[in-house]
Amino acid sequence: MSSLYLPLSLNFEPRHLVISTWMDHLPFGYDLVAALRPSCVVELGTYSGLSFFTFCQSMIENDVEGIAYAIDTWEGDEHTGNYGDSIFRQVDDHARDYYRGISYLLRMRFSEAANQFDKESIDLLHIDGLHTYDAVREDFETWYPKVKPGGIVLFHDIEARMPGFGVRKFWQELSGINTCFAFTHGYGLGVLKKPGGSRPLSKLESLLFEGDEETRSNLRKLYVHVGRHIDAMRRVRKQEA
Ligand SMILES: C[S@@+](CC[C@H](N)C(=O)[O-])C[C@H]1O[C@@H](n2cnc3c(N)ncnc32)[C@H](O)[C@@H]1O
């Protein structure tokens, strides 16, 4: 990498650990929030809250003054399957216990929530709802106008190849015509930067979007490594407890 980049997430101790395929991307999610310092984060698809509470924890630990909105019916969809009310209650309890005043849970369909957000008001949008091609495309087309110029859109599951999953195809279309970076480990995480805005790029963003191929490849390897490091540290702490 062109100059030393030490991710803050090397010291990240996730407070809310639940089983989710988002596990592989926790360190990057944590660092991205610290780097962007978003005033407004919106997540489409929260389920048991692994990605959402990573964003929230980073906001608190890195003194980011913003609000994070989690939008979900908390009923499930054709890929997660339907699940019971206990998932919502656990997420709601955790949000109240640790992120009161900075996190808001909007229990409704994405399309119902959309009119609550103004054009160009969101700094960080995470799209992780139903993963069919048509659903992801609709989520992106509805919500992209609400992202600020220079804002970031994350897409989870860009490498998932299960039947009925279409994020990969949609991401391939988008990444050909936008400023993008793709993490390919786990089920993949796409990072898209909306053009415009006058905010200076953080170190992390310049590595993501301005780095040469070697820099980008090293960044991918680094985040695989940090994920393993966090997991190893968690096991050590558990043994010591
Ligand atoms: C893949 S899960 C989210 C995973 C989560 N981000 C994590 O970190 O584990 C997708 C969620 O999106 C929700 N969902 C799917 N389509 C939706 C829609 N149109 N409106 C509201 N919620 C939706 C489902 O209820 C489900 O909880």
Side-chain angles (χ1 to χ4, degrees):
M1 242 169 277
S2 50
S3 62
L4 192 63
Y5 169 64
L6 274 180
L8 290 170
S9 58
L10 281 167
N11 295 314
F12 172 40
E13 293 180 27
R15 187 187 269 151
H16 182 79
L17 271 182
V18 285
I19 292 171
S20 160
T21 56
W22 227 87
M23 190 64 90
D24 299 282
H25 304 296
L26 296 188
F28 176 72
Y30 183 90
D31 289 332
L32 182 66
V33 166
L36 282 180
R37 310 195 68 74
S39 314
C40 179
V41 176
V42 172
E43 176 167 271
L44 307 181
T46 295
Y47 192 23
S48 47
L50 190 64
S51 48
F52 184 67
F53 289 129
T54 297
F55 302 146
C56 293
Q57 190 173 340
S58 181
M59 288 169 83
I60 294 291
E61 292 181 357
N62 297 298
D63 299 319
V64 175
E65 285 185 21
I67 305 279
Y69 298 90
I71 309 172
D72 200 310
T73 57
W74 278 282
E75 287 174 356
D77 57 45
E78 68 188 74
H79 291 147
T80 59
N82 286 345
Y83 50 83
D85 209 42
S86 64
I87 300 278
F88 174 73
R89 279 190 265 112
Q90 283 162 24
V91 171
D92 195 33
D93 285 347
H94 192 77
R96 280 168 203 270
D97 288 347
Y98 295 101
Y99 305 112
R100 191 186 285 268
I102 71 146
S103 70
Y104 290 90
L105 309 184
L106 306 182
R107 193 173 192 185
M108 58 185 75
R109 297 197 65 75
F110 305 150
S111 52
E112 290 172 68
N115 61 14
Q116 299 189 24
F117 292 85
D118 291 337
K119 196 174 162 219
E120 299 185 352
S121 62
I122 300 171
D123 299 277
L124 175 60
L125 174 69
H126 176 214
I127 299 181
D128 197 14
L130 178 61
H131 289 35
T132 62
Y133 177 89
D134 288 344
V136 174
R137 186 183 184 119
E138 184 186 328
D139 294 343
F140 178 75
E141 288 176 351
T142 306
W143 289 85
Y144 188 65
K146 299 174 187 299
V147 175
K148 285 182 188 167
I152 298 284
V153 186
L154 297 178
F155 293 81
H156 189 220
D157 285 322
I158 58 166
E159 287 293 325
R161 292 159 200 244
M162 286 84 87
F165 277 56
V167 190
R168 189 163 178 267
K169 178 169 182 272
F170 187 55
W171 175 254
Q172 281 167 351
E173 293 169 9
L174 276 185
S175 57
I177 50 170
N178 287 280
T179 302
C180 288
F181 182 93
F183 286 102
T184 49
H185 62 295
Y187 284 90
L189 187 74
V191 189
L192 180 150
K193 185 172 189 303
K194 188 169 182 171
S198 53
R199 182 176 54 80
L201 281 194
S202 61
K203 173 78 184 171
L204 177 57
E205 288 169 283
S206 63
L207 292 172
L208 289 166
F209 303 122
E210 296 179 339
D212 57 20
E213 202 32 62
E214 189 188 357
T215 301
R216 289 153 73 97
S217 163
N218 286 341
L219 194 66
R220 287 188 189 96
K221 288 183 201 152
L222 176 70
Y223 273 103
V224 172
H225 172 75
V226 182
R228 288 186 190 144
H229 170 79
I230 289 178
D231 195 43
M233 294 306 288
R234 186 180 59 79
R235 284 166 202 265
V236 170
R237 277 192 298 270
K238 209 170 155 189
Q239 269 182 358
E240 286 174 349

Coordinates of all heavy atoms in Angstrom, one line a residue, residues 43-83:
E43 N -29.9 1.9 6.9 CA -29.7 0.5 6.5 C -31.1 0.0 6.0 O -32.1 0.0 6.8 CB -29.2 -0.3 7.7 CG -29.1 -1.8 7.4 CD -28.3 -2.5 8.4 OE1 -27.1 -2.7 8.2 OE2 -28.9 -3.0 9.4
L44 N -31.1 -0.6 4.9 CA -32.3 -1.4 4.4 C -32.0 -2.8 4.6 O -31.3 -3.5 3.9 CB -32.5 -1.1 2.9 CG -32.5 0.3 2.4 CD1 -32.7 0.4 0.8 CD2 -33.6 1.1 3.1
G45 N -32.6 -3.4 5.6 CA -32.5 -4.8 6.0 C -31.5 -5.0 7.1 O -30.3 -4.9 7.0
T46 N -32.1 -5.2 8.3 CA -31.3 -5.2 9.6 C -31.3 -6.5 10.3 O -30.3 -6.9 10.9 CB -31.8 -4.1 10.5 OG1 -31.5 -2.8 9.9 CG2 -31.1 -4.1 11.9
Y47 N -32.4 -7.2 10.2 CA -32.5 -8.6 10.7 C -32.1 -8.6 12.2 O -32.6 -7.8 13.0 CB -31.7 -9.6 9.9 CG -32.0 -11.0 10.1 CD1 -33.2 -11.5 10.7 CD2 -31.0 -12.0 9.8 CE1 -33.4 -12.9 11.0 CE2 -31.2 -13.3 10.0 CZ -32.4 -13.8 10.6 OH -32.6 -15.1 10.8
S48 N -31.1 -9.3 12.6 CA -30.7 -9.3 14.0 C -29.6 -8.3 14.3 O -29.2 -8.2 15.5 CB -30.2 -10.7 14.4 OG -29.3 -11.2 13.5
G49 N -29.3 -7.4 13.4 CA -28.6 -6.2 13.7 C -27.0 -6.2 13.7 O -26.4 -5.3 14.1
L50 N -26.5 -7.3 13.1 CA -25.0 -7.3 13.1 C -24.4 -6.1 12.4 O -23.5 -5.4 13.0 CB -24.5 -8.6 12.5 CG -23.0 -8.9 12.7 CD1 -22.7 -9.0 14.2 CD2 -22.5 -10.1 11.9
S51 N -24.8 -5.9 11.2 CA -24.1 -4.7 10.5 C -24.6 -3.4 11.1 O -23.7 -2.5 11.4 CB -24.5 -4.7 9.0 OG -25.9 -4.9 8.8
F52 N -25.8 -3.3 11.5 CA -26.3 -2.0 12.0 C -25.6 -1.6 13.3 O -25.2 -0.5 13.4 CB -27.9 -2.1 12.2 CG -28.5 -0.8 12.7 CD1 -28.5 0.3 11.8 CD2 -29.0 -0.7 14.0 CE1 -29.1 1.5 12.3 CE2 -29.5 0.5 14.4 CZ -29.6 1.6 13.5
F53 N -25.5 -2.6 14.2 CA -24.9 -2.2 15.5 C -23.4 -2.0 15.3 O -22.7 -1.4 16.2 CB -25.2 -3.2 16.6 CG -26.7 -3.1 17.0 CD1 -27.5 -4.2 17.0 CD2 -27.2 -1.9 17.3 CE1 -28.9 -4.1 17.4 CE2 -28.6 -1.7 17.6 CZ -29.4 -2.9 17.7
T54 N -22.8 -2.6 14.3 CA -21.4 -2.2 14.0 C -21.2 -0.8 13.7 O -20.3 -0.1 14.1 CB -20.8 -3.1 12.9 OG1 -20.9 -4.5 13.3 CG2 -19.4 -2.8 12.5
F55 N -22.1 -0.3 12.8 CA -22.1 1.1 12.4 C -22.3 2.0 13.7 O -21.6 3.0 13.9 CB -23.2 1.5 11.4 CG -23.2 0.7 10.1 CD1 -24.3 0.3 9.4 CD2 -21.9 0.3 9.6 CE1 -24.3 -0.4 8.3 CE2 -21.9 -0.4 8.4 CZ -23.1 -0.8 7.7
C56 N -23.3 1.6 14.5 CA -23.6 2.4 15.7 C -22.5 2.4 16.7 O -22.1 3.4 17.3 CB -24.9 1.8 16.4 SG -26.4 2.0 15.5
Q57 N -21.8 1.2 16.9 CA -20.7 1.2 17.8 C -19.6 2.1 17.4 O -19.0 2.8 18.2 CB -20.3 -0.3 18.0 CG -19.3 -0.4 19.2 CD -18.9 -1.9 19.4 OE1 -19.7 -2.8 19.1 NE2 -17.8 -2.1 20.1
S58 N -19.3 2.1 16.1 CA -18.3 2.9 15.5 C -18.6 4.4 15.8 O -17.7 5.2 16.1 CB -18.0 2.6 14.1 OG -17.0 3.4 13.6
M59 N -19.9 4.7 15.6 CA -20.3 6.2 15.8 C -20.0 6.6 17.2 O -19.4 7.7 17.4 CB -21.8 6.3 15.5 CG -22.1 6.3 14.0 SD -23.8 6.1 13.6 CE -24.3 7.8 13.6
I60 N -20.3 5.7 18.2 CA -20.1 6.1 19.6 C -18.6 6.1 19.9 O -18.1 7.1 20.5 CB -20.8 5.1 20.5 CG1 -22.3 5.1 20.3 CG2 -20.4 5.2 22.0 CD1 -22.9 6.4 20.9
E61 N -17.9 5.1 19.5 CA -16.5 5.0 19.9 C -15.6 6.0 19.2 O -14.5 6.3 19.6 CB -16.0 3.5 19.7 CG -16.7 2.6 20.6 CD -16.2 1.1 20.5 OE1 -15.4 0.8 19.6 OE2 -16.7 0.3 21.3
N62 N -16.0 6.5 18.0 CA -15.2 7.4 17.3 C -15.8 8.8 17.2 O -15.5 9.7 16.4 CB -15.0 6.9 15.8 CG -14.2 5.6 15.9 OD1 -13.1 5.5 16.3 ND2 -14.9 4.5 15.4
D63 N -16.7 9.1 18.2 CA -17.3 10.4 18.4 C -17.9 11.0 17.1 O -17.7 12.1 16.7 CB -16.2 11.4 18.9 CG -15.7 11.0 20.2 OD1 -16.5 10.6 21.1 OD2 -14.5 11.1 20.4
V64 N -18.6 10.1 16.4 CA -19.3 10.6 15.2 C -20.7 11.1 15.6 O -21.5 10.3 16.2 CB -19.4 9.4 14.1 CG1 -20.2 9.9 12.9 CG2 -18.0 8.9 13.7
E65 N -21.0 12.3 15.3 CA -22.3 12.8 15.6 C -23.3 12.6 14.5 O -23.3 13.3 13.5 CB -22.2 14.3 16.0 CG -21.5 14.5 17.3 CD -21.5 16.0 17.7 OE1 -22.3 16.8 17.2 OE2 -20.7 16.3 18.5
G66 N -24.1 11.6 14.6 CA -25.0 11.3 13.5 C -26.1 10.4 14.0 O -26.2 10.0 15.2
I67 N -27.0 10.1 13.1 CA -28.2 9.3 13.4 C -28.1 8.1 12.5 O -27.9 8.2 11.3 CB -29.5 10.0 13.2 CG1 -29.6 11.3 14.0 CG2 -30.7 9.1 13.6 CD1 -29.9 11.2 15.5
A68 N -28.4 6.9 13.0 CA -28.5 5.7 12.2 C -29.9 5.1 12.2 O -30.5 5.0 13.3 CB -27.5 4.6 12.7
Y69 N -30.5 4.9 11.0 CA -31.8 4.4 10.9 C -31.8 2.9 10.3 O -31.1 2.7 9.3 CB -32.6 5.2 9.9 CG -32.8 6.7 10.3 CD1 -31.9 7.6 9.9 CD2 -33.9 7.1 11.1 CE1 -32.0 9.0 10.3 CE2 -34.0 8.4 11.4 CZ -33.1 9.3 11.1 OH -33.2 10.6 11.5
A70 N -32.5 2.0 11.0 CA -32.6 0.7 10.6 C -34.0 0.4 10.1 O -34.9 0.7 10.8 CB -32.3 -0.3 11.8
I71 N -34.1 0.0 8.8 CA -35.4 -0.2 8.3 C -35.6 -1.6 7.9 O -34.8 -2.2 7.2 CB -35.6 0.7 7.0 CG1 -35.3 2.2 7.3 CG2 -37.1 0.6 6.5 CD1 -35.2 3.1 6.0
D72 N -36.7 -2.2 8.5 CA -37.0 -3.6 8.3 C -38.4 -3.9 8.7 O -38.9 -3.2 9.7 CB -36.0 -4.5 9.1 CG -35.8 -5.9 8.6 OD1 -36.8 -6.6 8.4 OD2 -34.7 -6.3 8.4
T73 N -39.1 -4.8 8.1 CA -40.4 -5.3 8.7 C -40.2 -6.1 9.9 O -41.1 -6.3 10.7 CB -41.1 -6.1 7.6 OG1 -40.3 -7.2 7.3 CG2 -41.5 -5.3 6.4
W74 N -38.9 -6.7 10.0 CA -38.6 -7.7 11.0 C -39.6 -8.9 11.0 O -40.0 -9.4 12.0 CB -38.5 -7.1 12.4 CG -37.1 -6.5 12.6 CD1 -36.0 -7.2 12.9 CD2 -36.8 -5.1 12.5 NE1 -34.9 -6.3 13.0 CE2 -35.4 -5.0 12.8 CE3 -37.5 -3.9 12.3 CZ2 -34.7 -3.8 12.8 CZ3 -36.8 -2.7 12.3 CH2 -35.4 -2.7 12.5
E75 N -39.9 -9.2 9.7 CA -40.8 -10.4 9.5 C -40.1 -11.4 8.7 O -40.4 -12.6 8.7 CB -42.1 -10.0 8.7 CG -43.0 -9.2 9.6 CD -44.2 -8.7 8.9 OE1 -44.3 -8.8 7.6 OE2 -45.1 -8.1 9.5
G76 N -39.0 -11.0 7.9 CA -38.3 -11.9 7.1 C -38.7 -11.8 5.6 O -39.7 -11.0 5.3
D77 N -38.0 -12.5 4.8 CA -38.4 -12.4 3.3 C -38.1 -13.8 2.7 O -37.8 -14.7 3.4 CB -37.5 -11.3 2.6 CG -36.0 -11.5 2.8 OD1 -35.6 -12.6 2.6 OD2 -35.3 -10.5 3.1
E78 N -38.2 -13.9 1.4 CA -38.1 -15.2 0.8 C -36.7 -15.8 0.9 O -36.6 -17.0 0.7 CB -38.6 -15.2 -0.6 CG -37.7 -14.5 -1.6 CD -38.4 -14.3 -3.0 OE1 -39.3 -13.5 -3.1 OE2 -37.9 -15.0 -3.9
H79 N -35.7 -15.0 1.2 CA -34.4 -15.6 1.4 C -34.1 -15.9 2.9 O -33.5 -16.9 3.2 CB -33.3 -14.7 0.8 CG -33.4 -14.7 -0.7 ND1 -33.1 -13.6 -1.5 CD2 -33.8 -15.6 -1.6 CE1 -33.2 -13.9 -2.7 NE2 -33.7 -15.1 -2.8
T80 N -34.4 -15.0 3.8 CA -34.2 -15.3 5.2 C -35.2 -16.3 5.8 O -34.9 -16.9 6.8 CB -34.3 -14.0 6.1 OG1 -35.6 -13.5 5.9 CG2 -33.2 -13.0 5.7
G81 N -36.4 -16.4 5.1 CA -37.5 -17.1 5.7 C -38.2 -16.2 6.7 O -37.6 -15.2 7.2
N82 N -39.4 -16.5 7.1 CA -40.1 -15.7 8.1 C -39.5 -16.1 9.5 O -39.2 -17.2 9.7 CB -41.6 -16.0 8.1 CG -42.3 -15.4 6.9 OD1 -41.7 -14.5 6.2 ND2 -43.5 -15.8 6.6
Y83 N -39.4 -15.1 10.3 CA -38.9 -15.3 11.7 C -39.8 -14.6 12.7 O -40.6 -13.7 12.3 CB -37.5 -14.9 11.8 CG -37.1 -13.5 11.3 CD1 -37.3 -12.4 12.1 CD2 -36.6 -13.3 10.1 CE1 -37.0 -11.1 11.7 CE2 -36.2 -12.0 9.6 CZ -36.5 -10.9 10.5 OH -36.2 -9.7 10.0

